[in-house]
Amino acid sequence: KAGVTQTPRYLIKTRGQQVTLSCSPISGHRSVSWYQQTPGQGLQFLFEYFSETQRNKGNFPGRFSGRQFSNSRSEMNVSTLELGDSALYLCASSLGDNGNTIYFGEGSWLTVV
Amino acid sequence: DQQVKQNSPSLSVQEGRISILNCDYTNSMFDYFLWYKKYPAEGPTFLISISSIKDKNEDGRFTVFLNKSAKHLSLHIVPSQPGDSAVYFCAASGDKLIFGTGTRLQVFP
């Protein structure tokens, strides 16, 4: 069974630009969550989508948004990029019930210059 | 407000000895706890979990202990191996999964 797939793996953007990251969950998983990892900050929860609806949201500004498609694939978008947005963005999928284990992709490394 | 805390940013252990990684949480509504292991440039990998109705779960060399009254969980790795060197994250689940900041474990020969 294929794991969680994230694209692109690495990208460099300029301040003020916007970026879209893509995530394909494990087959059969209906929940997709997004996390941001920066040095010393651990994994910060961005949002979770379940059946095309945002089910939970972390404490990030509105520049960070996401969506989920009918096939459970998800995208997240960051607009008006800032230098501090440079981070590893991780997508994770699960069956979607409380207590389910979430499984991570390898992440997308975003550098904002 | 850090609901899940890993107060030790790093830990160094000799090969063959026990590694103990600690995690504290503040929200008594958390009902499921997990440990993940992360190598550089890779996504976190699920290691072991425990439900709040248990106080211990064991899987091979890995054992997780949960002390609900102290809001504390720990991961024991016995015996530690050089391949265990990685960053370990604990996570607690309520309506969403909250991660700690991680502990970097180094196992030396």
Side-chain angles (χ1 to χ4, degrees):
Chain A
K1 184 188 265 192
V4 179
T5 305
Q6 291 188 245
T7 57
R9 288 295 316 279
Y10 305 92
L11 67 166
I12 300 174
K13 290 285 188 178
T14 304
R15 267 185 306 174
Q17 285 187 313
Q18 67 91 28
V19 67
T20 299
L21 308 176
S22 180
C23 173
S24 293
I26 292 171
S27 178
H29 284 191
R30 297 168 63 192
S31 168
V32 173
S33 300
W34 289 89
Y35 290 82
Q36 180 196 65
Q37 185 187 13
T38 53
Q41 291 297 312
L43 296 163
Q44 302 291 315
F45 174 75
L46 280 154
F47 29 65
E48 180 208 2
Y49 286 86
F50 180 81
S51 292
E52 301 179 66
T53 301
Q54 187 180 87
R55 186 159 72 171
N56 275 303
K57 188 177 187 304
N59 298 320
F60 278 80
R63 299 186 297 109
F64 293 81
S65 63
R67 58 178 175 168
Q68 186 180 34
F69 303 95
S70 58
N71 61 359
S72 293
R73 193 177 68 84
S74 176
E75 290 181 346
M76 69 161 281
N77 185 79
V78 188
S79 62
T80 320
L81 284 165
E82 301 176 359
L83 296 178
D85 296 333
S86 296
L88 175 65
Y89 290 88
L90 290 157
C91 169
S93 76
S94 76
L95 291 169
D97 298 320
N98 278 344
N100 289 151
T101 300
I102 68 171
Y103 297 90
F104 284 88
E106 295 197 334
S108 293
W109 285 96
L110 170 64
T111 301
V112 182
V113 297
Chain B
D1 178 27
Q2 194 71 26
Q3 295 188 63
V4 180
K5 298 178 183 178
Q6 294 177 256
N7 292 317
S8 297
S10 64
L11 175 67
S12 191
V13 171
Q14 187 173 31
E15 181 179 6
R17 307 293 288 267
I18 183 172
S19 295
I20 300 177
L21 298 107
N22 294 302
C23 179
D24 297 293
Y25 61 95
T26 57
N27 189 342
S28 57
M29 298 301 291
F30 288 143
D31 57 5
Y32 189 60
F33 303 88
L34 307 92
W35 284 94
Y36 285 81
K37 174 180 176 181
K38 187 179 184 300
Y39 293 116
E42 294 184 10
T45 303
F46 169 71
L47 206 53
I48 192 170
S49 63
I50 187 167
S51 164
S52 61
I53 63 173
K54 293 186 174 182
D55 55 16
K56 176 182 175 181
N57 189 26
E58 190 172 354
D59 183 3
R61 297 186 297 114
F62 302 91
T63 303
V64 56
F65 295 92
L66 176 62
N67 183 333
K68 283 190 295 181
S69 60
K71 296 192 180 67
H72 177 84
L73 67 155
S74 60
L75 174 68
H76 293 210
I77 306 174
V78 183
S80 301
Q81 299 173 354
D84 296 329
S85 298
V87 177
Y88 289 79
F89 291 95
C90 67
S93 176
D95 59 345
K96 54 183 180 280
L97 203 57
I98 306 295
F99 283 83
T101 52
T103 296
R104 181 176 302 277
L105 172 66
Q106 183 178 7
V107 180
F108 59 93

